[in-house]
Amino acid sequence: MVHVTVWNEFRHEQESELVRKVYPAGIHGQLAVFLEKAGFHTKTATLDQPEHGLTEAVLSETDVLIWWGHMAHGEVADEIVERVKHHVLRGMGLVVLHSGHMSKIFMSLMGTSCDLKWREADEKERIFVVDPSHEIASGIPEAFELEKEEMYGEYFDVPAPDETIFLSWFEGGNVFRSGLTYRRGNGRIFYFQPGHESYPTYYNENVQKVIINGVNWCSKGNRAYPTYGHEEAVYPIGKGTNEQ
């Protein structure tokens, strides 16, 4: 069974009645509900827990970490970021959602500003599948719509992705590479754009299916991390295994 930890800074839900009405159990709570139904062993962690809920023990038992953050990126301790990065490089999967593009962990793994254009204007978003052969797009229609989402637009300052799976169009005319994959070390990373805190995006069945597929894909990182450092010659010239 795939073990998933859903991390959410959990600040908007505590400070905004509007957000609390949309996600009464927190964004992490809603994500955990459909992930559990999909058959994953799921736990949650939040910013204000000791070590942000991401202890060495928790991460050692996590196959895929889901990250949602927005207003408190700077409050995430650098020590915890390095701990998460250590686990990603050694094969733990990472699914970064919406405004998590500006999280310390995503920026560190990307090595760029990860900045973009944005506009909060209750716009319709149409999400197109541009790589239908990819397993993250399995079961997703050619295109689907969200009635209201925060606009994210190009240019998105991230490295060229390994795969671009989704491309979004917004009612105001912008487009955005909304579903991207990366490999860092032994770990797999999936970034997926929809999920503004004041909209019920994570109740949408297609969005849920994409995240479920993303977790499955990210869980397949190789956990057999190489040993680095000085090494004696394995097969010196003239000393092959077939020498008599």
Side-chain angles (χ1 to χ4, degrees), residues 85 104-114 157-159 184:
K85 184 176 180 179
K104 288 183 178 181
I105 182 59
F106 190 65
M107 293 173 69
S108 177
L109 288 163
M110 294 299 105
T112 58
S113 76
C114 299
D157 185 23
V158 289
R184 293 291 185 269

Coordinates of all heavy atoms in Angstrom, one line a residue, residues 85 104-114 157-159 184:
K85 N 13.9 17.5 1.3 CA 14.7 17.4 0.0 C 15.5 16.1 0.1 O 15.6 15.4 -1.0 CB 15.6 18.6 -0.1 CG 16.4 18.7 -1.4 CD 17.1 20.0 -1.5 CE 17.9 20.1 -2.8 NZ 18.7 21.3 -2.9
K104 N 9.4 26.8 -0.3 CA 10.9 26.6 -0.2 C 11.3 25.3 -0.8 O 12.4 25.2 -1.5 CB 11.3 26.7 1.2 CG 11.3 28.1 1.9 CD 11.9 28.0 3.3 CE 11.9 29.4 3.9 NZ 12.4 29.3 5.3
I105 N 10.6 24.2 -0.6 CA 11.0 22.9 -1.1 C 10.9 22.9 -2.6 O 11.9 22.4 -3.2 CB 10.2 21.8 -0.4 CG1 10.7 20.4 -0.9 CG2 8.7 21.9 -0.7 CD1 12.1 20.1 -0.6
F106 N 9.9 23.4 -3.2 CA 9.8 23.4 -4.7 C 10.9 24.2 -5.3 O 11.5 23.8 -6.2 CB 8.4 23.8 -5.1 CG 8.1 23.6 -6.6 CD1 8.1 22.3 -7.1 CD2 7.9 24.6 -7.4 CE1 7.8 22.0 -8.4 CE2 7.6 24.4 -8.8 CZ 7.6 23.1 -9.3
M107 N 11.0 25.4 -4.8 CA 12.1 26.3 -5.3 C 13.5 25.7 -5.2 O 14.3 25.9 -6.1 CB 12.0 27.7 -4.6 CG 10.7 28.5 -4.9 SD 10.5 30.0 -3.9 CE 11.8 31.0 -4.6
S108 N 13.7 25.1 -4.1 CA 15.0 24.5 -3.9 C 15.3 23.4 -4.9 O 16.3 23.3 -5.5 CB 15.1 23.9 -2.5 OG 16.4 23.2 -2.3
L109 N 14.3 22.5 -5.1 CA 14.4 21.4 -6.1 C 14.4 21.9 -7.5 O 15.1 21.3 -8.4 CB 13.2 20.4 -5.9 CG 13.3 19.6 -4.6 CD1 12.0 19.0 -4.3 CD2 14.4 18.5 -4.7
M110 N 13.8 23.0 -7.8 CA 13.8 23.6 -9.2 C 15.0 24.4 -9.5 O 15.5 24.5 -10.6 CB 12.5 24.4 -9.4 CG 11.2 23.6 -9.4 SD 11.1 22.3 -10.6 CE 11.4 20.9 -9.6
G111 N 15.5 25.2 -8.5 CA 16.7 26.0 -8.7 C 16.4 27.3 -9.5 O 17.3 28.0 -10.0
T112 N 15.1 27.7 -9.5 CA 14.7 29.0 -10.2 C 13.7 29.7 -9.3 O 13.4 29.3 -8.2 CB 14.0 28.7 -11.5 OG1 12.8 27.8 -11.3 CG2 14.9 28.0 -12.5
S113 N 13.3 30.9 -9.7 CA 12.4 31.7 -8.9 C 11.0 31.1 -8.8 O 10.3 31.4 -7.8 CB 12.2 33.1 -9.5 OG 11.4 33.1 -10.6
C114 N 10.6 30.2 -9.7 CA 9.3 29.6 -9.7 C 8.1 30.6 -9.8 O 7.0 30.3 -9.4 CB 9.1 28.6 -8.6 SG 10.3 27.3 -8.6
D157 N 8.3 30.5 -14.3 CA 9.8 30.5 -14.3 C 10.2 29.2 -13.6 O 10.7 29.2 -12.4 CB 10.4 31.7 -13.6 CG 11.9 31.7 -13.6 OD1 12.5 31.0 -14.5 OD2 12.5 32.4 -12.8
V158 N 10.1 28.1 -14.3 CA 10.6 26.8 -13.8 C 11.5 26.2 -14.9 O 11.4 26.6 -16.1 CB 9.4 25.8 -13.5 CG1 8.7 26.3 -12.2 CG2 8.5 25.7 -14.7
P159 N 12.3 25.2 -14.5 CA 13.1 24.5 -15.6 C 12.2 23.8 -16.6 O 11.1 23.5 -16.2 CB 14.0 23.5 -14.8 CG 13.9 24.0 -13.4 CD 12.6 24.7 -13.2
R184 N 14.2 14.4 -9.7 CA 15.3 14.9 -9.0 C 15.9 13.8 -8.2 O 15.3 13.2 -7.3 CB 14.9 16.1 -8.1 CG 14.5 17.3 -8.9 CD 15.6 18.0 -9.6 NE 15.2 19.2 -10.2 CZ 14.8 19.3 -11.5 NH1 14.6 18.2 -12.2 NH2 14.5 20.5 -12.0

